[in-house]
Amino acid sequence: MQNPVFDRQHIREYFVYGSIAAVLYMIPVWFFLADAEYKNLYYLFIGIALFMLTILCYAYKLVYRPYERKRSVAMLTAGHLATISGIAIALLLVLISVLIFFPHLSIPLPADSILKGAPATLQPHRPSGLLFMLLAVTAIGNAGVGSFISVATSYAGRRGRSEK
């Protein structure tokens, strides 16, 4: 008998929720890239919050499934797989978006032209520096909130439901 967490329907569901989370994450990132000011870095964290809410909705949906409700590890695995697929899609979208806004990644640009208003220690001299910062925030921030939500809801959702 195949584990239902890894059947074709569930794998499609991981990519659907991961795609939704990635697209919602990218909306504030696009607003940030359109102006690229240091004072607007909070847009990235709004995107991480939207990513988290999407994974929370998916985890909440899993609480009411018979298989996942009885097995916390299955819910934990499903939440992490949706998070991983969302991060992979978001990383790809960040790369494409930065290439749209800064077509030449390796060409040095004048100070304060990539990330306006940033301190000298944080000012990237090439667009590839900004790309690295965005990729790091995307991977680490979304992995953190996705994992937290997956762990919290897999055990809290199971504990709150009565086993029959």
Side-chain angles (χ1 to χ4, degrees), residues 8 36 43 47 56 59 68 70-71 76-77 80 84 98 124 139 151:
R8 188 169 279 172
Y43 285 154
L56 179 64
E68 284 88 0
K70 293 180 182 175
R71 293 174 181 86
L76 185 66
T77 303
H80 276 92
I84 289 169
V98 170
V151 169

Side-chain angles (χ1 to χ4, degrees), residues 1-119:
M1 183 174 144
Q2 184 181 5
N3 186 341
V5 173
F6 299 110
D7 69 1
R8 188 169 279 172
Q9 173 197 358
H10 282 88
I11 291 173
R12 187 178 313 120
E13 195 172 73
Y14 305 146
F15 283 108
V16 166
Y17 277 93
S19 298
I20 293 169
V23 168
L24 287 176
Y25 170 76
M26 286 305 297
I27 293 169
V29 172
W30 288 323
F31 281 111
F32 170 74
L33 285 172
D35 199 17
E37 286 193 51
Y38 179 72
K39 68 179 183 177
N40 294 335
L41 277 173
Y42 68 91
Y43 285 154
L44 303 178
F45 299 104
I46 293 171
I48 290 172
L50 293 173
F51 188 94
M52 180 183 69
L53 288 174
T54 306
I55 299 299
L56 179 64
C57 290
Y58 178 59
Y60 183 72
K61 180 180 178 181
L62 291 176
V63 168
Y64 291 100
R65 286 202 182 150
Y67 182 80
E68 284 88 0
R69 183 187 67 199
K70 293 180 182 175
R71 293 174 181 86
S72 297
V73 175
M75 282 183 62
L76 185 66
T77 303
H80 276 92
L81 289 173
T83 300
I84 289 169
S85 67
I87 290 170
I89 295 167
L91 288 172
L92 182 66
L93 291 174
V94 164
L95 177 65
I96 292 169
S97 298
V98 170
L99 286 173
I100 289 171
F101 285 98
F102 300 101
H104 306 289
L105 287 179
S106 61
I107 296 175
L109 297 173
D112 209 38
S113 66
I114 298 171
L115 189 59
K116 300 173 199 87

